[in-house]
Amino acid sequence: MEILFCGVCHSDVHTVRNEWLGTTYPCVPGHEIIGRVTRVGNQVRNFKEGEIVGAGCLVDSCRTCASCKVDLEQFCEAGAIFTYNSPDKHSGGITYGGYSDSIVVDEAFVLAVPQNLDPAAAAPLLCAGITTYSPLKHHKVTKGQKVGVVGLGGLGHMGVKLAKAFGAHVVVFTTSLNKVEDALRLGADEVVHSKDEAAMKRHLNSCHFILDTVAAKHDLNAYLVMLRRDGTLTQVGVPSEPLAVDVSNLIFGRRNLSGSLIGGLKETQEMLIFCGQHNVTADIELIPIQQINAAYDRLVKSDVKYRFVIDMASLKQAS
Ligand code: NAP
Ligand code: ZN
Ligand code: ZN
């Protein structure tokens, strides 16, 4: 496919800067890909030339293990093949992602994109969308429940939109006072500045579910105590340092702490259809690829509104 747009995930920054260790250079990041099919193999049945399609965080898996068999390719026991920085079993070396003019993807890992969605604003659904949709689904968030979203960045703002679409009462916890108005506009029912102790206290023991999207070291305990009995906090942000947990916050209230990793292909397709039906896309800042380093610096400073997306036409203009 010819790549038209690629979202900029904080995981790209972690990887490019080797914050999780294990980056193989040269590295071409990008796993929120929207493109146009330019050619199909002769066995391809589901896609045809000219179609606008998506590719997300995964490009392959073993397809036979216990996880693959139940559509959880992200947990493939032979090792999921991620869109970038994974061993490439076809061409050797490693996989290269979406900050590029083209990519070849097996049709089993290609997604149909609802035509009513703006393709640039739909790109972030391929990672930020599925990463927030999957835990909301898995933990059965339903209408009327109180859901906390910690961190209003790329993942966080999708979490707000999707939790609202699920019918939840959404409370955003942010470190950035200047995001309060945006959080309400994005659909939050309440916004809490996490440095305001009195405001934080008002939410103790009240949330059914909390989605923590924070990309840096922070105090998990401040959020565990917001959960009501049997509530769950799911961590999706991946700080490069371990986070300390006061286990009494889990023991009292029988609270749960869990994690979640993107989503399998079937669920990603389901999420795209859901977003098509509810008209959900990301709020984006479209940038030329020449501005990627400045975008990374802004991401690290939590200055994102609310996902950078690279307009790949800028690559052609440069060459
Ligand atoms: P992002 O756009 O940079 O958003 C992260 C938000 O976290 C920031 O906007 C900020 O929100 C908050 N934050 C940042 N530093 C903080 C700090 N020191 N203390 C408290 N809050 C802080 O990043 P993203 O693309 O949404 O990704 C978030 C994390 O999820 C990254 O670690 C990424 O690697 C990870 N991720 C995981 C998965 C998965 O499958 N589990 C998938 C994709 C990404 P406020 O300004 O509102 O405080
Ligand atoms: Zn991502
Ligand atoms: Zn497998």
Side-chain angles (χ1 to χ4, degrees):
M1 66 179 85
E2 173 198 6
I3 299 176
L4 303 175
F5 301 104
C6 184
V8 178
C9 179
H10 207 115
S11 299
D12 302 351
V13 184
H14 292 305
T15 307
V16 165
R17 299 186 174 174
N18 202 23
E19 290 169 2
W20 293 333
L21 310 178
T23 304
T24 303
Y25 298 101
C27 171
V28 180
H31 57 205
E32 294 184 338
I33 301 167
I34 295 282
R36 184 184 290 114
V37 177
T38 46
R39 257 171 77 194
V40 296
N42 56 16
Q43 314 265 318
V44 168
R45 297 285 167 266
N46 297 325
F47 298 98
K48 54 182 189 305
E49 223 178 282
E51 233 177 298
I52 300 293
V53 294
C57 305
L58 297 164
V59 286
D60 210 347
S61 72
C62 85
R63 308 173 199 209
T64 56
C65 75
S67 294
C68 286
K69 274 190 187 148
V70 294
D71 301 304
L72 294 170
E73 297 88 353
Q74 73 273 37
F75 304 121
C76 174
E77 284 141 45
I81 307 297
F82 293 97
T83 305
Y84 62 83
N85 202 44
S86 266
D88 186 331
K89 67 181 178 201
H90 300 287
S91 55
I94 56 153
T95 53
Y96 294 128
Y99 296 13
S100 173
D101 53 359
S102 64
I103 191 167
V104 180
V105 186
D106 187 305
E107 76 164 328
F109 289 76
V110 174
L111 296 141
V113 179
Q115 294 194 357
N116 60 316
L117 300 180
D118 172 58
L125 300 178
L126 277 317
C127 174
I130 184 59
T131 301
T132 50
Y133 179 90
S134 184
L136 292 170
K137 264 313 268 267
H138 185 74
H139 294 287
K140 302 186 171 59
V141 166
T142 52
K143 198 166 164 24
Q145 287 190 337
K146 180 169 168 181
V147 169
V149 175
V150 188
L152 195 67
L155 266 54
H157 97 291
M158 287 312 309
V160 170
K161 291 186 184 202
L162 290 168
K164 263 328 270 184
F166 279 48
H169 177 94
V170 178
V171 184
V172 167
F173 297 96
T174 180
T175 59
S176 307
L177 261 180
N178 62 1
K179 291 183 182 173
V180 171
E181 267 177 42
D182 283 348
L184 295 169
R185 178 180 55 77
L186 291 164
D189 297 284
E190 299 177 68
V191 190
V192 179
H193 184 224
S194 50
K195 291 169 189 158
D196 178 345
E197 278 180 32
M200 289 287 277
K201 263 197 182 145
R202 284 197 283 277
H203 295 274
L204 289 174
N205 303 305
S206 66
C207 295
H208 293 87
F209 182 75
I210 297 178
L211 188 66
D212 185 332
T213 73
V214 175
K217 193 167 183 185
H218 63 290
D219 182 17
L220 263 188
N221 299 295
Y223 298 102
L224 288 173
V225 295
M226 306 277 185
L227 293 171
R228 60 166 62 201
R229 174 175 49 77
D230 289 321
T232 296
L233 183 150
T234 295
Q235 184 67 37
V236 286
V238 192
S240 49
E241 293 174 72
L243 304 179
V245 173
D246 177 347
V247 294
S248 64
N249 291 332
L250 298 176
I251 291 167
F252 287 87
R254 200 164 55 187
R255 299 176 176 117
N256 304 289
L257 171 61
S258 74
S260 190
L261 176 67
I262 50 173
L265 271 295
K266 186 175 174 210
E267 193 174 42
T268 305
Q269 190 62 68
E270 172 192 308
M271 174 275 309
L272 285 165
I273 292 167
F274 179 89
C275 288
Q277 284 163 351
H278 291 82
N279 222 356
V280 172
T281 53
D283 280 33
I284 64 163
E285 282 188 60
L286 197 63
I287 58 163
I289 198 155
Q290 292 79 3
Q291 283 173 21
I292 191 66
N293 290 319
Y296 278 14
D297 291 341
R298 282 185 52 195
L299 266 186
V300 171
K301 285 191 266 181
S302 302
D303 177 17
V304 50
K305 290 184 177 345
Y306 279 85
R307 194 60 141 186
F308 293 105
V309 171
I310 306 167
D311 180 354
M312 234 22 103
S314 59
L315 200 58
K316 282 194 201 111
Q317 283 152 17
S319 57

